[in-house]
Amino acid sequence: MDIDDLKTRILAGERRALARAITLVESGRVDHRAQALALLEAVKGHGRQALRVGLSGTPGVGKSTFIEAFGCMLTGRGLRVAVLAVDPSSARSGGSILGDKTRMERLSRDPGAFIRPSPSQSQLGGVARRTREAIDLCEAAGFDVILIETVGVGQSETMVAEMSDLFVLLLAPAGGDELQGVKRGIMEMADILLVNKADGDLKATAVRTCADYAGALRLLRKRPQDPQGFPKALTVSALEEAGLANVWDEMCGLTDWRRAEGHFDARRAAQARFWFEAEVRERLLARLSREPVKGAMRALAGQVEDGELTPSAAAEELLSTHLMMS
């Protein structure tokens, strides 16, 4: 693969080249990984910066419907929008449906948009292992807004907050009360809570739910990266496309404040360090599944089963002798 040619086409904003590059970084092959690292090094430092927005919520809350309506509104304003949608992988077969482009039919035909579904595989936290690198590629391709849709696994789905500038949590009407709103985990990571489906018979319920969460947010400890009034809860109807402009205005206002106060760049620097440390941990764990460490681990496990070694002593021998020497 010609990395220089691929880099040139990505920087020119070619969507086909971008799709090919994301396929490359998602590949598990050793030779592909080397090419992917070379490509990521080649495209960095070009001064392009998109607004990265992470979106999470329980399955069925309307994430895809919201993203399509919101994305179409943004492209209508002349912005280029990339959507990175992560689909859950089957614990049995390992497969994923990857049906988000089917759900977002109108946005997928928009020349100003790019939609890329990816399988979560065995990665926890609601995102795929290489989503962060796909974000870097979309940024290099000149997209103005990158929307990262998680699989929707629940309150522990906080990994997307470590790769986004804004974290938006979508909620369903009557989906909780004030106590639910103060639970730790995903709730305290959010910058904006959106109560979706505020239309028809559910509109009054959505307004009440929004008020419950707004009250709960006032009980959370104030974060240094938040101006007065944030995090905040809003109602929105993706179906009727109501409240979308207000959501975008709130996002822009929060981002502008964080840039002015220095929180925006500091947060991105902290995220870069986080992903460096995560990559080191991931590679160390990967070495356990390769020889000769794999064989040594199997032998030590046999000694533990026979009672010759305690689990702690066996782990110490593996780490100090075999893992460090491999």
Side-chain angles (χ1 to χ4, degrees), residues 194-267:
L194 295 182
V195 182
N196 195 20
K197 303 183 180 180
D199 47 56
D201 296 337
L202 289 174
K203 186 169 185 178
T205 305
V207 172
R208 286 196 302 271
T209 302
C210 182
D212 284 342
Y213 279 109
L217 289 174
R218 288 193 286 269
L219 301 176
L220 295 178
R221 183 179 301 171
K222 183 172 175 56
R223 305 177 303 185
Q225 72 268 26
D226 292 333
Q228 190 66 34
F230 281 90
K232 65 173 52 179
L234 304 169
T235 59
V236 67
S237 170
L239 185 64
E240 297 181 350
E241 301 186 3
L244 300 180
N246 183 44
V247 171
W248 178 240
D249 290 341
E250 295 288 357
M251 288 181 179
C252 292
L254 178 57
T255 303
D256 290 343
W257 185 88
R258 286 180 175 173
R259 287 184 189 276
E261 296 295 322
H263 296 294
F264 188 93
D265 292 334
R267 178 62 178 158

Side-chain angles (χ1 to χ4, degrees), residues 2 12 36 58 63 115 301:
D2 190 337
T58 54
K63 294 189 297 294
I115 302 176

Side-chain angles (χ1 to χ4, degrees), residues 140-159:
F143 285 92
D144 302 299
V145 182
I146 302 172
L147 304 176
I148 309 114
E149 179 193 2
T150 68
V151 300
V153 296
Q155 294 198 71
S156 64
E157 190 180 346
T158 57
M159 195 66 73

Side-chain angles (χ1 to χ4, degrees), residues 153-171:
V153 296
Q155 294 198 71
S156 64
E157 190 180 346
T158 57
M159 195 66 73
V160 69
E162 295 295 340
M163 59 179 68
S164 55
D165 304 314
L166 298 175
F167 183 28
V168 177
L169 180 61
L170 268 71
L171 304 164

